[in-house]
């Protein structure tokens, strides 16, 4: 890491989602299209007042009941009246959008954009409004308010929406498969957050927020004008269906006892579902360790598990953060936000065919260097760590022909014909502007616009 | 035996004819920075040929000594590139000096472009490229410009051969370690 001195973060201009996590149990994403720049600007100028900065959220998180973020696609910026010269200064991968990058991202077969839902694949997807709410009643109130407001805006359409629901038990974050989540997040220098043991030093803000020095020692190039891009970031949105019935059936097929099934689940992830890392608890689950943020991320691979006897080389966690077994890790980190959606499937209940999963955002300063690298190299490279015929067992693209190898003495266990436990249902690239940029976009009154 | 297994059979030497342009159009795979040159029995690789800035030849010989020292001092300095071999050549055409940089490695270059740029920036490997005509001056902060230069000067193979096809450097190193371990075991049995 190059020492560059810490630039002061402009907390009052950075959207809260970049730096903080809302204490929400529900939420809703609204995907919007602007038929006219005036309509889009009217919508934005009104909703900007409800978007909390990181500073505002920190000041009132105890009393607030809802948190709003807003972001735009490249065509959405154009729809709002941003001129072509400015649009040209955005990075190529953002301009192209997630759909155009599908093959490289591994979105083929069932995951191909041809199969996506929600009306998000066309250039008429312009914006997302992200609502996190403390409870269902508050979400309902916000939804109703937003619906009425959109109805008054001439030229604004809601393409689709997605309701978010935490899955029980509610005392800790986890996905529908039951894996404890939010255990390993990068910390931004100057944010005031302290990394948990094993999480590495805080990273330069420019890795996540535009306008600050990054780990190279220099700021990543800013799209122009600066008021539009400073304190902004990029977000890759992914809605991934989790096939819970299929996942549980897989565990039953590969484990005779409950303990064996839990071990198979742990090997796929790299952690027990309690969150306890296999490197520190290789044989038996340790829920106390899993819940202890001072201990549950404090491990490495190169010294502690070089051959993957604890965490298989192809396990989800080892792919998404290879720690000391990859180079330049500080240039590949990402901030994850989002939530689960769909109803909980009771343990023991048969698959009910209802869609449930994770609707998540990956936030980073460079989609091509951070998000796309992770997706292309870590998730879907079949030969990651010389594995030959594997992809990420949880979120990789699977068609039943790949395998998963579990190192074990004297001989490894090889599971062939790994099924797809997740399916990408839709996705998009968004730009998450700073608060001043939202006002700039919403009140430009660009005379050249129709 | 599946097609994939047949392709990976290291006991059978194999050659691959590659269409003009370097890609199989029906099997073109996209990388983050553009299409990926195919993996062949001789693994992935590149052959970059570019004209040097006139009079800069001595810099290349100095660079060679620097690289020798850098690798001796830190043997894993190039590990991220997943290399088998690198070769550097200087040659003349019509009195002008050209530089050729050939590499054979186990992962397509696009995958680790930014890592490669970071290594070059940190290790002094940069100097030689900066003596090539047309090399972007802002390469340290502009991975896209770096990869564009590499792609523009890449001369793809039309034929590649492998005596032990598709075997990665890591697999070879594992085999040699295994041989050494067996040898050690036999010593211990005496």
């Amino acid at each position: 890491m190059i020492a560059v001195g810490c630039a002061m973060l402009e907390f009052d201009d950075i959207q809260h989602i970049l730096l903080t996590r809302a204490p929400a149990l529900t939420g809703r994403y609204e995907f919007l299209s602007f038929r006219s720049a005036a309509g889009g600007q009217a919508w934005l100028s009104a909703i900007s007042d409800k978007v909390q900065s990181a500073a505002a959220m920190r000041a009132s998180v105890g009393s607030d009941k809802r948190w709003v973020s807003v972001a735009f696609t490249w065509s959405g910026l154009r729809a709002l009246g941003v001129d072509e010269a400015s649009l040209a200064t955005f990075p190529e991968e953002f301009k192209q959008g997630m759909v155009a990058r599908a093959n490289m991202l591994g979105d083929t077969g069932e995951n191909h954009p041809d199969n996506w839902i929600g009306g998000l694949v066309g250039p008429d997807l312009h914006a997302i409004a992200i609502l996190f709410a403390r409870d269902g009643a508050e979400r309902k109130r916000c939804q109703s308010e937003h619906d009425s407001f959109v109805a008054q805006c001439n030229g604004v359409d809601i393409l689709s929406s997605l309701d978010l629901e935490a899955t029980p038990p509610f005392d800790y974050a986890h996905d529908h498969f039951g894996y404890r989540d939010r255990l390993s997040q990068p910390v931004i220098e100057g944010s005031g957050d302290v990394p948990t043991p094993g999480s590495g030093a805080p990273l330069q803000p420019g890795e996540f927020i535009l306008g600050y020095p990054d780990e190279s020692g220099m700021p990543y190039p800013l799209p122009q004008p600066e008021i539009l891009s400073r304190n902004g970031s990029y977000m890759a949105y992914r809605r991934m269906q989790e096939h819970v019935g299929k996942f549980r059936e897989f565990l039953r097929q590969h484990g005779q006892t409950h303990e064996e099934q839990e071990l198979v689940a742990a090997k796929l992830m790299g952690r027990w579902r309690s969150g306890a890392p296999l490197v520190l608890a290789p044989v038996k689950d340790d829920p106390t360790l899993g819940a202890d943020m001072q201990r549950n991320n404090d491990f490495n691979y190169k010294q502690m598990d070089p051959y993957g006897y604890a965490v298989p080389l192809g396990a989800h966690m080892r792919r998404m953060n290879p720690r000391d077994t990859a180079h330049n890790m500080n240039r590949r980190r990402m901030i994850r936000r989002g939530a689960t959606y769909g109803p909980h499937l009771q343990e023991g209940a048969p698959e009910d065919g209802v869609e449930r999963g994770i609707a998540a955002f990956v936030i980073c300063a460079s989609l091509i260097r951070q998000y796309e690298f992770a997706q292309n190299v870590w998730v879907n490279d079949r030969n990651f760590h010389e594995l030959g015929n594997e992809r990420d067992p949880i979120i990789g693209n699977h068609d039943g022909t790949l395998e998963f190898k579990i190192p074990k003495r004297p001989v490894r266990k090889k599971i062939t014909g790994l099924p797809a436990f997740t399916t990408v249902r839709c996705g998009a690239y968004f730009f998450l502007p700073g608060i001043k940029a939202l006002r700039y976009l919403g009140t430009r009154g660009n005379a050249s616009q129709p | 035996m599946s097609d994939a297994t047949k392709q990976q059979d290291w006991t059978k030497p194999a050659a691959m004819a590659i269409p003009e342009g370097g890609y199989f159009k029906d099997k073109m795979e996209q990388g983050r920075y553009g299409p990926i040159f195919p993996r062949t029995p001789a693994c992935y690789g590149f052959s970059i040929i570019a004209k040097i800035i006139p009079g800069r030849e001595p810099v290349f010989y100095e660079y060679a000594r620097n690289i020798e020292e850098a690798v001796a001092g830190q043997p894993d300095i190039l590990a991220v590139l997943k290399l088998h071999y690198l070769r550097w050549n200087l040659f003349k055409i019509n009195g002008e000096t050209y530089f050729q940089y050939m590499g054979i490695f186990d992962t397509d270059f696009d995958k680790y472009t930014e890592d490669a740029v970071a290594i070059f920036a940190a290790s002094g490997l940069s100097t030689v490229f900066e003596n090539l005509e047309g090399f972007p001056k802002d390469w340290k902060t502009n991975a896209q410009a770096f990869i564009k230069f590499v792609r523009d000067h890449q001369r793809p193979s039309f034929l590649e051969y492998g005596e032990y096809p598709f075997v990665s450097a890591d697999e070879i190193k594992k085999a040699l370690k295994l041989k050494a371990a067996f040898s050690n075991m036999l010593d211990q049995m005496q």
Side-chain angles (χ1 to χ4, degrees):
Chain A
M1 189 175 81
I2 297 166
V4 291
C6 180
M8 288 291 287
L9 295 180
E10 294 167 8
F11 293 107
D12 58 349
D13 194 36
I14 298 168
Q15 287 203 45
H16 67 86
I17 193 170
L18 233 162
L19 289 172
T20 53
R21 193 186 286 284
L25 282 180
T26 67
R28 186 175 170 88
Y29 303 154
E30 303 270 21
F31 299 92
L32 299 127
S33 189
F34 307 136
R35 275 180 279 112
S36 73
Q41 288 173 359
W43 174 83
L44 177 55
S45 57
I47 205 163
S48 319
D49 291 340
K50 304 189 186 302
V51 176
Q52 292 104 321
S53 67
M57 177 170 176
R58 285 178 175 180
S60 59
V61 68
S63 56
D64 286 346
K65 288 185 173 175
R66 60 104 186 100
W67 299 270
V68 176
S69 306
V70 178
F72 304 93
T73 61
W74 189 62
S75 60
L77 294 175
R78 174 181 278 138
L80 283 170
V82 174
D83 62 43
E84 293 301 318
S86 174
L87 290 168
T89 60
F90 281 83
E92 190 59 33
E93 66 276 11
F94 173 64
K95 289 189 229 172
Q96 290 181 13
M98 190 179 276
V99 171
R101 313 280 286 176
N103 282 344
M104 181 271 301
L105 293 171
D107 293 340
T108 57
E110 289 293 309
N111 291 347
H112 192 274
D114 284 352
N115 302 318
W116 288 4
I117 57 176
L120 309 191
V121 295
D124 56 341
L125 170 64
H126 292 153
I128 181 173
I130 302 164
L131 168 76
F132 289 118
R134 211 174 268 282
D135 53 44
E138 178 64 10
R139 177 179 69 196
K140 196 172 173 189
R141 186 192 69 73
C142 294
Q143 179 190 340
S144 165
E145 193 178 317
H146 186 250
D147 284 348
S148 319
F149 173 58
V150 168
Q152 293 164 27
C153 290
N154 194 13
V156 178
D157 297 322
I158 295 176
L159 295 172
S160 64
S161 307
L162 180 69
D163 280 335
L164 310 167
E165 313 282 354
T167 55
F170 298 119
D171 54 341
Y172 69 97
H174 56 96
D175 69 353
H176 283 283
F177 295 143
Y179 292 109
R180 181 186 284 263
D181 200 2
R182 305 176 189 173
L183 299 176
S184 182
Q185 287 273 14
V187 166
I188 299 174
E189 178 83 42
S191 67
D193 296 331
V194 178
T196 57
S199 299
L203 298 174
Q204 289 298 317
E207 291 295 317
F208 311 102
I209 313 170
L210 298 186
Y212 297 88
D214 65 21
E215 290 284 317
S216 74
M218 283 159 277
Y220 192 66
L222 277 180
Q224 296 300 314
E226 189 174 327
I227 189 171
L228 174 59
S229 54
R230 185 167 174 77
N231 288 317
S233 192
Y234 297 98
M235 295 198 313
Y237 170 65
R238 301 288 271 184
R239 171 170 166 179
M240 298 200 86
Q241 180 175 3
E242 295 184 293
H243 305 291
V244 176
K246 196 194 282 185
F247 178 76
R248 290 176 183 165
E249 177 56 31
F250 177 85
L251 298 184
R252 284 192 286 274
Q253 280 173 9
H254 293 277
Q256 301 288 322
T257 64
H258 174 73
E259 287 72 22
E260 285 178 10
Q261 290 172 18
E262 285 302 312
L263 183 59
V264 172
K267 292 289 183 183
L268 294 172
M269 174 58 68
R271 292 181 186 270
W272 299 89
R273 289 198 269 192
S274 70
L278 280 169
V279 175
L280 300 179
V283 181
K284 193 169 177 293
D285 190 9
D286 182 349
T288 309
L289 168 66
D292 184 349
M293 293 299 283
Q294 291 306 305
R295 292 193 295 143
N296 62 20
N297 206 35
D298 194 9
F299 59 90
N300 65 37
Y301 296 125
K302 207 170 182 176
Q303 277 85 38
M304 298 172 77
D305 189 26
Y307 302 108
Y309 287 122
V311 179
L313 300 177
H316 173 70
M317 185 176 75
R318 200 159 180 156
R319 283 178 177 263
M320 293 311 292
N321 184 358
R323 297 176 182 238
D324 55 342
T325 58
H327 295 78
N328 293 326
M329 272 302 300
N330 288 354
R331 309 302 319 276
R332 309 292 191 195
R333 302 303 305 278
M334 295 163 278
I335 292 170
R336 288 177 293 129
R337 296 283 186 259
T340 50
Y341 67 92
H344 174 63
L345 187 67
Q346 294 287 339
E347 197 62 50
E351 174 66 53
D352 56 6
V354 178
E355 188 187 333
R356 53 177 61 79
I358 297 177
F361 302 97
V362 170
I363 302 177
C364 54
S366 169
L367 290 165
I368 197 169
R369 170 166 53 82
Q370 293 160 285
Y371 172 69
E372 291 190 343
F373 174 86
Q375 193 68 25
N376 182 248
V377 179
W378 288 344
V379 174
N380 281 319
D381 182 358
R382 294 199 299 179
N383 206 30
F384 177 80
H385 278 334
E386 305 295 309
L387 290 166
N389 195 31
E390 295 191 20
R391 284 182 175 144
D392 186 306
I394 306 286
I395 63 169
N397 186 333
H398 286 272
D399 59 3
T401 63
L402 303 181
E403 58 201 32
F404 183 67
K405 292 181 275 292
I406 302 174
K408 189 179 172 187
R409 283 178 174 150
V411 288
R412 70 189 184 191
K413 177 177 180 177
K414 182 162 88 173
I415 296 174
T416 55
L418 201 70
F421 297 126
T422 56
T423 303
V424 180
R425 301 313 306 270
C426 59
Y429 286 159
F430 293 100
F431 177 66
L432 180 82
I435 303 290
K436 284 181 201 146
L438 290 179
R439 300 210 173 101
Y440 167 81
L441 286 166
T443 58
R444 301 175 73 220
N446 190 334
S448 67
Q449 292 306 308
Chain B
M1 194 184 281
S2 71
D3 283 351
T5 314
K6 268 189 244 169
Q7 195 196 39
Q8 306 289 330
D9 183 359
W10 62 269
T11 63
K12 273 184 157 174
M16 184 186 280
I18 301 163
E20 202 172 338
Y23 301 104
F24 293 93
K25 297 218 163 23
D26 56 332
K27 292 187 211 160
M28 197 182 284
E29 194 189 336
Q30 288 294 321
R32 287 179 297 141
Y33 292 96
I36 291 170
F37 289 104
R39 185 168 179 241
T40 76
C43 308
Y44 288 107
F46 56 58
S47 307
I48 296 160
I49 300 175
K51 201 191 289 186
I52 75 163
I53 297 169
R56 297 283 178 89
E57 286 86 345
V59 180
F60 286 78
Y61 290 96
E62 186 189 342
Y63 163 78
R65 289 189 293 274
N66 290 344
I67 295 299
E68 182 179 342
E69 277 176 29
V71 174
Q74 190 188 335
D76 64 351
I77 191 168
L78 300 176
V80 68
L81 304 178
K82 309 267 180 194
L83 287 160
H84 287 254
Y85 300 104
L86 286 176
R87 285 191 168 181
W88 292 262
N89 311 95
L90 289 175
F91 55 93
K92 289 200 184 252
I93 300 176
N94 294 334
E96 293 179 315
T97 305
Y98 284 79
F99 166 75
Q100 176 173 264
Y101 181 34
M102 294 183 74
I104 292 177
F105 41 85
D106 292 320
T107 184
D108 70 89
F109 189 71
D110 264 10
K111 277 199 164 62
Y112 295 97
T113 298
E114 299 95 350
D115 292 336
V117 174
I119 288 177
F120 296 159
S123 67
L125 297 183
S126 57
T127 49
V128 77
F129 281 91
E130 286 171 347
N131 294 287
L132 300 173
E133 287 192 351
F135 189 69
K137 290 190 168 50
D138 64 344
W139 66 274
K140 284 186 184 176
T141 54
N142 191 347
Q144 278 93 339
F146 183 95
I147 192 73
K148 183 173 185 313
F149 179 87
V150 170
R151 282 182 173 274
D152 288 349
H153 292 79
Q154 154 77 348
R155 294 291 174 268
S157 305
F158 61 90
L159 175 62
E160 294 199 356
Y161 172 81
E163 179 67 21
Y164 42 91
F166 301 106
V167 181
S168 71
D170 278 345
E171 288 298 329
I172 292 168
K173 286 192 276 186
K174 268 189 211 172
L176 292 173
K177 276 184 196 164
L178 203 57
K179 187 179 167 189
F182 269 112
S183 176
N184 186 38
M185 183 190 80
L186 291 173
D187 288 347
Q188 299 301 321
M189 299 289 283
Q190 302 304 312

